[in-house]
């Protein structure tokens, strides 16, 4: 009984992780993707449990000929890329405020790990694992 509850919690957590990841990628899936050059203008810094984490603040062109600042959603333990560096970013067509530095290996590992956990736990609950 306790094992089943733990498995159900694990299944719920992996399903929630997949749903949140897909939610953040819906605009990328439904629309064309644009690649533009952006400049790192500063870093957003946060402290959690004594660790300092950094997210790049990007300056990129918008669809009206101006520029907007966007925070990359991925936090890292170091302020990388460095301020002033030009990087290629992707965003869904018409949604430059959703721009992010592409991290294909990170996204592949995230979806792969969450999907694997969901399938393995689901099979275990069904008695097929």
């Amino acid at each position: 009984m306790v094992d089943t509850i733990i498995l159900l919690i694990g299944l719920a957590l992996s399903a929630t992780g997949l749903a949140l990841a897909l939610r953040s990628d819906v605009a990328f899936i439904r629309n064309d993707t644009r690649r533009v050059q952006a400049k790192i203008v500063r870093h957003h810094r946060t402290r959690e449990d004594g660790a300092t984490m950094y997210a790049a603040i990007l300056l990129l062109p918008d669809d009206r000929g101006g520029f907007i600042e966007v925070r990359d959603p991925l936090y890292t333990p170091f302020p990388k890329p460095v301020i002033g560096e030009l990087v290629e970013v992707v965003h869904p067509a018409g949604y430059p405020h959703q721009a992010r530095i592409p991290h294909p290996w990170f996204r592949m590992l995230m979806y792969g790990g969450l999907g694997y956990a969901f399938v393995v736990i689901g099979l275990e609950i069904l008695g097929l694992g």
Side-chain angles (χ1 to χ4, degrees):
M1 179 66 173
V2 173
D3 293 342
T4 304
I5 292 172
I6 291 172
L7 288 173
L8 287 172
I9 291 170
L11 187 68
L13 288 173
S14 61
T16 301
L18 280 170
L20 290 173
L22 284 171
R23 181 176 173 231
S24 72
D25 287 342
V26 165
F28 284 90
I29 295 167
R30 288 186 173 173
N31 300 309
D32 291 333
T33 302
R34 303 280 188 252
R35 292 184 175 274
V36 297
Q37 290 291 313
K39 184 177 184 178
I40 308 301
V41 291
R42 64 182 179 281
H43 291 94
H44 179 263
R45 185 175 60 186
T46 185
R47 283 186 67 78
E48 291 184 19
D49 299 327
T52 303
M53 301 296 284
Y54 300 90
I57 304 294
L58 312 160
L59 181 67
L60 62 135
D62 66 5
D63 295 335
R64 294 176 289 198
F67 289 90
I68 61 170
E69 286 187 3
V70 177
R71 181 175 51 192
D72 188 52
L74 186 65
Y75 281 85
T76 61
F78 304 104
K80 294 283 183 175
V82 296
I83 294 173
E85 185 175 344
L86 289 176
V87 295
E88 184 178 65
V89 297
V90 296
H91 68 80
Y95 299 94
H97 61 280
Q98 292 185 2
R100 63 184 181 206
I101 299 171
H103 300 283
W105 287 106
F106 170 76
R107 300 202 82 71
M108 187 170 35
L109 286 171
M110 178 186 62
Y111 278 112
L114 288 169
Y116 178 78
F118 183 80
V119 169
V120 168
I121 294 170
L123 289 173
E124 189 65 35
I125 289 172
L126 294 173
L128 302 173

